[in-house]
Structures are given as C-alpha cells and as structure tokens.
Amino acid sequence: MRDITQKGYEKKRAKLLARYIPLIQGVDPSLQAENRVPGSSQATAGVSKQQKSRSTNSRDERFRSDVHTEAVQAALAKYKERKMPMPSKRRSVLVHSSVETYTPPDTSSASEDEGSLRRQGRISSTPFQSHSNVEPWLNRVIQGSSTSSSASSTSSHPGGKPAAASNTAPATTAATVLADLMAHTQIENHSAPPDVTTGLVEYLHHERPQVASMRGVPRGYSSSILETADGVPVNSRVSSKIQQLLNTLKRPKRPPLKEFFVDDFEELLEVQQPDPNQPKPEGNQVNVLKGEPLGVVTNWPPSLLAALQHWGTTQSKAPCLTALDTTGKAIYTLTYGKLWSRSLKLAYTLLNKLTTKNEPLLKPGDRVALVFPNSDPVMFMVAFYGCLLAELIPVPIEVPLTRKDAGSQQIGFLLGSCGVTLALTTDACQKGLPKAQTGEVVTFKGWPRLIWFVIDGKHLAKPAKDWHPQVRDASAEIAYIEYKTSKEGSTVGVTVSHASMLAHCHALTQACGYSEAETLTNVLDFKREAGLWHGVLTSVMNRMHVISIPYALMKVNPLSWIQKVCTYKAHVAVVKSRDMHWSLLAQRDQRDVSLSSLRMLIVADGANPWSISSCDAFLNVFQSRGLRPEVICPCASSSEALTVAIRRPSELGGPPPGKAVLSMNCLSFGVIRVDTEEKLSVLTVQDVGQIMPGASMCVVKVDGTPYLCKADEVGEICVNSGATGTAYFGLLGITKNVFEAIPVTAAGMPVSDQPFTRTGLLGFVGPDYLVFVVGKLDGLMTVSGRRHNADDVVATALAVEPMKFVYRGRIAVFSVPVLHDDRIVLVAEQRPDASEEDSFQWMSRVLQAIDSIHQVGVYCLALVPANTLPKAPLGGIHISETKQRFLEGALHPCNVLMCPHTCVTNLPKPRQKQPDVGPASMIVGNLVAGKRIAQASGRDVSQLEDNDQARKFLYLADVLQWRAQTTPDHPLFLLLNSKGTVASTASCIQLHKRAERVAAALMEKGRLNVGDHVALVYPPGVDLIATFYGCLYAGCVPITVRPPHPQNLATTLPTVKMIVEVSKSACILTTQGIMKLLRSKEAAAAVDIKTWPTILDTDDMPKKKLPSVFRPTSPDMLAYLDFSVSTTGILAGVKMSHAATSALCRSIKLQCELYPSRQIAICLDPYCGLGFALWCLCSIYSGHQSILVPPLELESNVSLWLSAVSQYKVRVTFCSYSVMEICTKGLGTQTDVLRMKGVNLSCVRTCMVVAEERPRITLTQSFSKLFKDLGLSARAVSTTFGCRVNVAICLQGTAGPDPTTVYVDMRALRHDRHFLGVKPTLKLQNSCSELELFNKILPGVKVIIAHTETKGPLGDSHLGEIWVSSPHNATGYYTVYGEEALHADHFTAHLSFGDTQTVWARTGYLGFLRRTELTDASGERHDALYVVGSLDETLELRGMRYHPIDIETSVIRAHKSIAECAVFTWTNLLVVVVELEGSEQEALDLVALVTNVVLEEHYLIVGVVVIVDPGVIPINSRGEKQRMHLRDGFLADQLDPIYVAYNM
C-alpha cells in the first residue's frame, strides 16, 4: 500500500510545486552543467613529505604510483563536460538497496590490487568535481513525481488542456527541427526517415496519408494525451533528454565505418580491417632461456615426507607454525615433533579406522577434500601431511558457507570428477556448516555426497605399535591437487606430483636463499599457490618457523603483518600488493615498527601490472623504518607452472631491478615500445626477476600454434622444468594443450624435445634476462582485434576519483561476446551515500578516461549496491560469477549506462534504396521478370449460388422480415452469462418485433430522418443486434460503439465521445444504466456532457407497429459505419454499403458452410470488423444459430467459452487472440479439472482467431497443444485475416487444406524480400520469423501483391503490399472533414502497369503469395497468402524495414521477467518499452539483455530502454498493441516508468 499512497502524494505535491521548480525549458536541472564551480585542487602537506623522502633522480619520479592517476586526470581535462541524458528512475528504486548494504564492504580487491594507489590524504580534484548541483537534484527527487521528475509539464486540469498549453506552438517547431537535424546526421545520403515527430505517422514519401488525426485513448492515460498527440509537449523531460542523446550521438564515432560495396541482399557484418599503420614487432626471434642449474646439496632429503620425518624426530621442539587469533595474539605454536606425531595419527586413523561394510573406506591414491578455514593453519597442515603419509591425495578447497556461494557449484563438480567421498575438517568448522533436518551437513548444490570427518585430537586413534608409514622417495605419483577457477568460471584441479613438489621446494630454497630455522611471515592463503608453496611445503623442507596471519586479522588490523615481522624479527615475508596497500592506509600505528630484519619481502602477485604502485608507495613510507629497497622481491606464478620467476635479493647476486614504461596502444597490438614522450596512455611495469633455477623459459604467440615470439612482442610465457604441475585432473584434452606445449621456431622446428607448460601469463623478457609480465590470459579482452587487459581498465576506472563513489577493489571488468566481438563490461559497487547524480557523473567520466587512455569503448557500465557482488574466497570479486549474473540478468544494478552506439562499429552498412522498377520490366503474360505474378482468388461466387436468392437477399432488413414470416420461432441467438446459463435468446420473430419498436421510437422520440447516423452504445448482447436492425428498418445508419468502462471513465469515455462526434451521430441509443453513466458527474470530469446528441434508452419501449419498413433506393446506399482504433492509434471509420454487407455475409456463408441447422459459438467483441459481422449480420443472412459469449465474462469464468463449445457440440467457433491468451494462461493447469467436468472439444472442426495482424503462431500453437488433452484436433485452430478496407479476406472454412507454417529469413524481410527456410535449428531460430499462411481466401475475393512504392505487380514469393478486390470491400473512409479524396487511393487503387483496369483496395499490410503443393477440395493447387505485418507499424531504420513484432519477440525471450514489450521509433532512435513482471530490483538487469538481444538478432542499436509496470502498454479490444499511443504517452512523460535508460 505504501507505494500507492506515496506515488499519489508525490504527484500531488509535484503539481503544487511545479511552477516553483526552476526548469530551463525542457531540460532537467541535473543536466544544466554550466553553473559548476571548478573545484580547487587541494594538496595536503603529507604529499610533499612523501615526495621529499624519496631523493632519487627526477626520471625515477616518473615511475611513481600516481603517474596513472595524473594521466587519467589529464585525459579527463581534455574533455568538456559532456551533457549526457541522465537515466530517470522511479523514487522507489532509489532506495531499494537493503539494509545490509550499508555495512561497508570488503575493500579487498578483485585482482588483489588493481588500482594505482592514491596517496592517503591527497584529494586531487578536477574542474568537474564540485557538487553545487547536488542540492537541487535531491530536492527534485523529493518533490518530483515518482519518476523523480517534475510531473507538472503535462498534468491535466479538468479542462483537459495540458498545463503548458501556452507553449505548444514552439514544441512542434522544435520537434521538426529535431527531425531535420536527424535527417542530416544520417550516414551517407539516404532519404530522410519518416517524420515521426508529429503525432501522425505520415506514410513514407507522403503517399498514404492517414485518417482522422484523432486518436482513441488507451487505458491508463490522462486525457491530456489528446492534446499532446500532434506535437511534443514543451516541457517534456523525455524529449529534452532524447535531444541530448541525439546531440551526444551526433559526435563522430571514433572508428569510421569502412566503405565497401555490399550487395543489398547480404547484410554483412563489418569485418575489422587491420590498420595499415598499426605497430608490428620488428625484433629477432627470442630463443629458449635457461635458468641457473639447481645446486647439488649433499644432505638433501629424497622426499618432503623424509624431511618432515627427519625434523620431527631429531628437532621435535623446533617451532614449525604459529597461529594467531583475530586480535593478533599467538594462540598456538605447532612444533615439528607435534606435526609429525599428529600427522602419523591421522594417517593411521584414515587408513585403518574408517570403514564401510567392513571394507576400508579409503585406499592409497584416493582423493580427500580438505575443508579448513583460513584462521586454522595448524589443523590444515596436520591434515595435509597426514594425507601424504597415508598416500592419499589432498584436495584443499574453501569452506562453503551457504548453499549459494559464488563458484561453490563448480568446486562441487571438481570434487565429483576427482571421486572425493571424504572431507576432513575441524570441529569448529563442522559446527558452522549448514545442516539438514537430520543434523547432517547439507549436500551443497552440485556437490557429491560427502562423509565429513573431524580431525581434532579426540577423534584420532593412536597408531598400533607395529604400524609404520612408508616414507618413499619422491615419485611421479600425484601428491596433491590444487583447484583453479578459469576465466569462464569452470573449476579445474591441477595435479602436482611428489617429484615436482620436491623440485619446487628445492628451486625456491635456492632462489630465495632460505636457511634452516629462518622465520617467515605468511599473509597469504595457505591452501594454494604461494601461501602453500612457501608457508607449508618449502618451510618444512628447511625447518623454518612460519607466522601465519589470518585474513580476518588483516581486515581488523592491516598493519598486523608488519608488527609480526618486527616482533619475530622475521627474515622473509610473503604478501600480496593488497596487503602493502592496506598497511599504508593505517598510518597512525606505523611509528614504532622496524622492518630492518627483512631480507626478502616476496610480493606474490608481482605479475599484476599494478603491483608496482603498491611496491613504490610502500617503499616510500617504510624506507625510513629500516626497509631496504632491494628487499622487495616481486614474483610471478601460476597454478599450472607454480613459481615462474622471482626477483633475487642482491646478496644472492641478482641483477638490479628493472622497470619499463610501455605504450598502451602498442601493447594492445601485442608490441612492446618503450614510451619516450611521456604520453598519457602508458603502462609502467616492474620485472618479476629471473627464471627459476633448473628451468627453461620461452615466449610464444597467444593464439594457435605456439610459435616463438620476437624480442619486442608480447606473448605467453612457457616454462619447462621438473617443478611444474603435471595435468588437469581427469581432463586429457586441455591438459595436452597446456602442459605439453611444444614451442616451434618461425620455420616450424620444435625448439626442444621436452614439452613446456603454458603459464597463462603474458609478457616478455627484457635486458639482463629479467622477466616482465604485462597481463594474464584470464583477463585478456580482444576487442576489434586489439588486446586489452582487464586489470589495466580497472586501474583507469579507479584513478578517476578513487574511493569516492566506488569501493576500491570492488570493481570487476570482463568482456561479453555481442555481435561477433568482445564487448567490455565494467561493474562496480557504489557507496551507499553516493547520489544518483554523482554516480552518473562518475560513470560518464570513467567512460571518457577509458576511451582516451585505452582507445576502447566500454559497452556497459553498471553500479550495484555495496556488498552485493559475489565474493571470491579471500576478498576480491568472483569475476566469472559476476559475468554469469550479468548475462542471466541477475546482477540487480542500481545504475546502468550502456554505450552500444560508441562500441558497436561492426554493424552492416545501411541499405541504399534501389532505383524504382519501372514498366521496363514489362509484363509478359502472367510473368514479371520471369516469375508468375503474385495473385490469387477465392472461388467465384456467381457459380456457387442461384443468383435469384442473392438478389432476394440484397438487403439484410428484407432477410430478417422474410425469416420472421417463414420460420418465426427459429432461434437465432443464445447469449450466455458468466455462469454459463442462457441470459437471453432471440428467435426470428422476436428480433423482428424488437427492431420494429426501435424503429418506431427513433422516428417518434428521436425525430430522425432517413440517412441520419445513430450511435449504438450497448454491452455485447441481443439488444445491440435488435437496435442495429431497428436502425435499418428506420432507414438510419447505425454505428456500434463499445460502452465506457464505469471504473475507468477518464480513459474510455473520450473514445466514445470521439466516435459519436466523428461519425456525426444525431442520436445515441443505449440502456438506462449507460445513459445515466453518460450524464453522470464522473463523466463530466472526462468530457463535456452538455454536447451529447439526443440519448434514448431502449429498455422499455411501447409496443408499436411500424407503418412501413424503409427500403433503400439502391444497393450502394450506406448500410452502417464500422469504426475502430487502428494499432497506430488512429480512429478510422469505414463505410459499408448494403451490397457490400450482403456480399460479406454470402462469402462467409459459403466458406463456413452455414445453414439454419448449424450452431456456431462466437467469443468476440461485437463492435467492429469481422467480430461485428459474425455477431450481428451472419445469423440473419444464413439462418444458423449463434451462441454468443461476451469476452468480458471470461474474466470471472475463464472456462466459459470452451465449456459452451463442448456443451453445445459446436463445430465452428470464433475467438480473438485475447480470448485465446486468457484461456492459455488461465486454464494451463486445469485441463484435468475440465476433463472431469466433461469438457470435450473433439466436436470442433474449425476454431478461427479473428484479428487484423500477423498470426501469433506461438500462441495458437500453445493453445492447440494445451487443449489437445480435451480432444481438440491439431488442425482445428486457424487464423483469419481482415483489415479496414475489407474485414474478411481469408477464413479457414471447412474444406480447405490444413494451415501450414513457413520460416522466413528476417534479414530478407528487412530488405522487403523473403527467403523461405526450412524449420530452423535452435541456433538459427533467432534469424527466422515464423509465419502462418492464411489458407483460404474467401469466395469472391481477389488478392494481388503490389510494390509499395511503384505500385507495380510483384512476382510469386515477393514481399509487397497486399491489395484486395471483392464485392464486400468497404467503399471508403468516413471522416469528419470530407477528406475522402485523400484516401480514395486506399479504396480505388490501380496497378501502374499490367492489369490497370481492375479497381483494388490497398490493405496497408505487407505479405506475399506462394503457390503451394497443397490442393483444396476442388483439386486445384492452392495459393497461400502470408501476412508479414502492417505497413503503418513498420519501422524504417538504417534504410531497412523492420516489423515491430519481430523485435518484440526477441526482447520477450531475453529474460523471464519480461511480461510484454512494445517498440517504436522516435526520430531515428529505436525505443523499447518493457513491462517488468517481478521486483523493481530486476528493472536495470533488463537494459543490457534487451540491448544485447536486439543487436544480436536484428543488427539494431536500441536508443532508449523504458521499463514500466505490467499493463502499461495499451492494448485494444482485439488484443493488439497500440504502439503509437504508447509513444505519445512516453513523450508526454505519462508512463510513470520504473527506469528509463538512454543508450550512448
């Protein structure tokens, strides 16, 4: 409830405050950026101190960590502040982030340390940072309507005029100027797009002007829409934003579209042509480099377990591992003796005490999961060595916290594929795991069933006296498996053998110069990578003492590791750059620490390009605390190759450290160029030292065959050594590719007989054989042929305004494939206190920074509430899970900016119109240019029926009188109510008598003359039919009008009023109830009730004999007017003569074989088109009985229609798409219930859907499938086709062949042709559009396909406008202004060549004819007509014609929460309106999905995505979307959208 009242309150308040809100005409205050005060750039004293502390030469200053920040700020300064339209958002969405999001999130970073570090206390601010604007924005949010707008601009006053009426004149001109602008900005010189700025859609080339510019008003809008329909309301925020969007888009795109000729048929995507000036590598080929040999040590143990046994028995008191609690207190020190004895106990217990069915549970070589929290290194170490002693293979994994942990399912797959059945854990950890009701640990999603075994002391058995483990020499058997998550999110297990484990310990000992009993501080995760290698394995080899710092302690006290180095006088510390960065932020407590004991500070992620900033900054601060510069030792490693390279401390004879400033642009082409002119876009990298002892290394090309790279080329580093991983467990294919690569020279010769392991690191070897890493294969994004590194892009984003709007380290960058290229997506967590305005400004500046530094566009930038991104185990973001959520639409961002216009440069060329086809392609017989002419016709009426009867039945009034005399008691109509009982009936005589009474009343009370128009405003029922004939008896012209909806007068009454006025009705006939309603107070609020014509109620009329029934003087006299609101929102009334009326009835009678003995059921609205004809005319003409089911009754009884069909055993029934949809949705689950109630549909031969649109195949198919269980024959359901000029062109009938479906290539449709395809495989599904043929053209109807512009006939299978000639064509439009001459063309068109005599009516629908192999009852081959869509509805974009329904079908498939969708164009932007069925948090997920699907399937860029509540898209009574109304509502800002995204 809160929301409704809130909305109402805000709208009222906005109205009152409207005139005080300062609005520059049509521009949001948020967008008036002129008045920004340049922010001053404050530099605090802290900076100068830091700079002094580093007395090195000025060139070295260039390598400082702020270089990147400066580059970004300089790049931004080049841009003027762009005015981009800010997305508009409903108030309730602004506050949807839950309470938990206000806890500050982990700022630990995604790739541990992406950011160029911002020095503490230095706030650099640029001219755009001032927030003078925030205040008015906030006020506006509070005052505005729920779309945070000033809803005043078009709020309607009782008069119905918009508040801004005085300014309406300039609006139209502004709109026209806008259209002109757009016409000139189109690429090359196509004809300008149709001017859709005015409310009327004029037909292209102004050839088909539309009818009565009055529009029917859809449900849900205020009446002011009528006034704004013909121009744009001036203060409309929407149009001003669109204008800004257009201005932004008018700026030239950077990559120009290549010019080359495209055949108008092949819509080729642009292929990025390589730039001839792009840098190319020029150096010599680099050969394999060899590291120093592994030293020979005399007393080196034969295996790691032998070392453990030796130290555990000879040095049992020596400390091995100290564990700390979250306060930093040492809680336990494990000695070598204890480690040995507890590992023995565990090994003994695992092998001898765990049994199932008297068999031991485990045998040597089995895999066992190790599930230990990061705070318990002691238990982990015991478990690890216990498994090794028992010859079991440990698989260390993270503790699963919930059933939905990011990536947890993948870990489950890994455990499953490793055949793990047992998990070892601690007592405390086991208690914390989620439990099932039985008390057992739940089975996590995707995990195998596990036995959980707690290894605390009391659960272990003492080994038997005679039991001794075998401590073997290191072999090629697997020692342990380390998990690794790939870029796509799949988890694999890297196997490491005993021999590799030993060789790796040996190499690390030699490279780091480890000596016995040294102290080492380890901050890393001890379960994997460097934390495991240094802190669990190599330490035991050298009897070192490890101080393990848990992650939880680092979060509480980032300086803890430095304090422990100081306390324990540690010689070595193993950290990540994140840990160095964190310790800088806690400067207060740095005073009393000293780092002079350190001889090595190993930076485990030194390969991350941004670690250099942390190293530099750390040295800057801690040099004065005894830290020597040469102590910092970055290293590079990967799960597959273990340690790849490490910088040696200088006492071990390493070369001096190296740095390189590289050009980003060249790096994106894979070329190394040292950037001498200090440009903005540079990457500073530090070396990661030399290769490991005993290893060989080479650099190979990233893609394809591993050719060696040149000296100045970036490639993947490959290593060959005894100390790498050996395989991905159980995955032979990718193992071969990664662990057994054979690098080859340019000539194709292998460089070695030994296989190399690919490390996944991208880099090169510099001077002094130092290794440089510039990125990881996992973070590589290849956009239009250039490579970008995700970490680099993250750093640029962070440098824009670090820590201000987004949390450092809570940024994810990845690429998604859209339209055959990678597109960059950036997702960040925004701080809860960031305002909408700030975030949007930050987003646009991030785009500019990335654009100028990386020369690449960001496709999508999304901000999510704090703490909502999936976390990696120890802080950081789980990138693959984030990407997965983005693609599934489950990220729930609170801000989104899409930039498809700037990024997508490989769209096909816009199509040029071909020169017109003239009479030169002269017709030869019935062929156009070698093809049969596309024409078809129904059976010839003259041969089918004795003309005598046809003459006799020329006037329907005569037919009714004749039936009343000959078969007076024959029942014609049965009307059912919602309970399924008969509400009223009418026999021939009853109907005749009632008609007479009505006619008498018209003449006496209404004093009407012959030819006067009468509006019949009745609910569906027998009254409507009786009054219709009453009018004919009196010689008046009836117009049936849908009554207004009592609950929704404001929107339904104006339509009634408009029809009454436009049709010039002299009188309204209705019921007493409706009469009261038309004159009520509520009605007066919606329309001027004083101007109604005479209103007569027909409820109790005196029984009067009519002196004479009026007889028309000629069959061409007007019989009735048929008014309906077209889908484009245009109210059109067509004139039906007496001749056309009876011809229509005759054709339907013949087609459906209707006789007095037949019953048909009709569930249609009786107000216009074929629905009216079937309800009011056909029964009188053919004498059959019609069972009338008003569609409204289905709202209270869904099964009403189908039950009636079954009860009366009806063979022929008619319904609309809306009825079919109600039945499909409402009865989907109830078919069994209906069967129990005896509903049986096997009697139905044909069930016809009446509509004026392309058949909705998915709906008819699901209807057929659903009710097949109730006996509905698969071939029964078919579609009819009619339009304004001819309400019934095709009906299935009883003797036709089955309806068939074809698949049409959508690309061909855009070019006004069609390719018929076979039923597509799923892969092709999206490139095809499914069409169902309208099988049976009615008797007497001829159809031809004509070219839309030249009006010449087209050949078989060509797409063109459907023209129809038939005795029941309407005779013309009935309009107020007597503009019949304008539209004569619609009803009296002639072909430009060929048969120029026949008079045709233009339907306004595109379609094609095709001769099929089917035959009909008469044995003739059958011509099938396929309807593609309405011409008025088509969108002209990029020189091609699109059908909205095709785009909408794609959009609806994009996400489960999209209930409905409608598209339209505004200037030449495509606007997609989507109804969201779900929580408002999902609204912004849809923006990217909608943009993606339309790009992929239609090669179109969406300009604006509007997300609205269900039910906003207006739908008329026939179930058709009224896209033009929607467009008016959008432009007049009346949709109350949840979110509007303007794509850049």
Side-chain angles (χ1 to χ4, degrees), residues 150 154 198 270 286 303 330 340 354 365 561 592 619 635 739 1033 1143 1172 1175 1233 1433 1479:
S150 60
T154 52
T198 53
E270 289 269 354
V286 176
S303 72
W340 172 246
L354 297 181
W561 70 271
D592 18 332
L619 182 62
C635 74
F739 293 92
Y1033 279 12
F1172 165 77
W1175 188 286
V1233 184
E1433 295 265 288
S1479 80

Side-chain angles (χ1 to χ4, degrees), residues 217-223 225 1048 1050-1052 1511-1512 1514 1529 1534-1536:
V217 183
R219 53 195 167 104
Y221 293 133
S222 72
S223 58
I225 187 167
N1048 198 354
T1051 56
T1052 54
V1512 168
Q1534 293 168 333
L1535 300 187
D1536 185 20

Side-chain angles (χ1 to χ4, degrees), residues 263-274:
D263 168 27
D264 134 89
F265 210 46
E266 295 304 325
E267 245 184 296
L268 298 173
L269 286 176
E270 289 269 354
V271 179
Q272 288 288 334
Q273 304 300 328

Side-chain angles (χ1 to χ4, degrees), residues 906-918:
N906 61 339
L907 284 173
K909 278 178 81 69
R911 163 176 173 240
Q912 262 91 35
K913 282 277 193 290
Q914 295 302 317
D916 290 349
V917 183

